[in-house]
Amino acid sequence: MTTDGALLESLPDSRVTAALLSDLEDADAIRTAIPLLAEAHDGQEISDRVVIQTESVAVVASYTDGEGWTVDHRINGTDRDPSDVLEEAMVAGQGDSSLVEAPGE
């Protein structure tokens, strides 16, 4: 099983670009790596909140200057449909915003 720390080690000690997350998806262990609430900066999409999913887990992580990356939410994906795990991570990652419709609404 991939540990949360191992997933975060893939990230630089800074906010990340959408392009870097896309490159992470090329790694065998990473199923999905997507930004949450990306903003444009110097022609690139930059995010300080991401969802990273493997076959066994999805994590929502956030970056804070001086503290680095931390896991905000962890969703167990063992023996579950990967689409359901990603949806749960997206809903967990949205916080108080309404970017993703919660299941059953």
Side-chain angles (χ1 to χ4, degrees), residues 6-56:
L7 288 175
L8 298 183
E9 287 175 5
S10 303
L11 302 175
D13 187 21
S14 65
R15 298 183 307 161
V16 294
T17 64
L20 181 136
L21 292 172
S22 180
D23 289 346
L24 282 179
E25 289 181 342
D26 292 336
D28 289 337
I30 306 295
R31 180 181 184 83
T32 305
I34 54 177
L36 297 173
L37 303 174
E39 62 183 51
H41 183 70
D42 292 333
Q44 295 185 351
E45 288 185 20
I46 304 284
S47 183
D48 60 2
R49 193 159 167 89
V50 299
V51 172
I52 300 175
Q53 180 184 19
T54 68
E55 292 297 323
S56 61

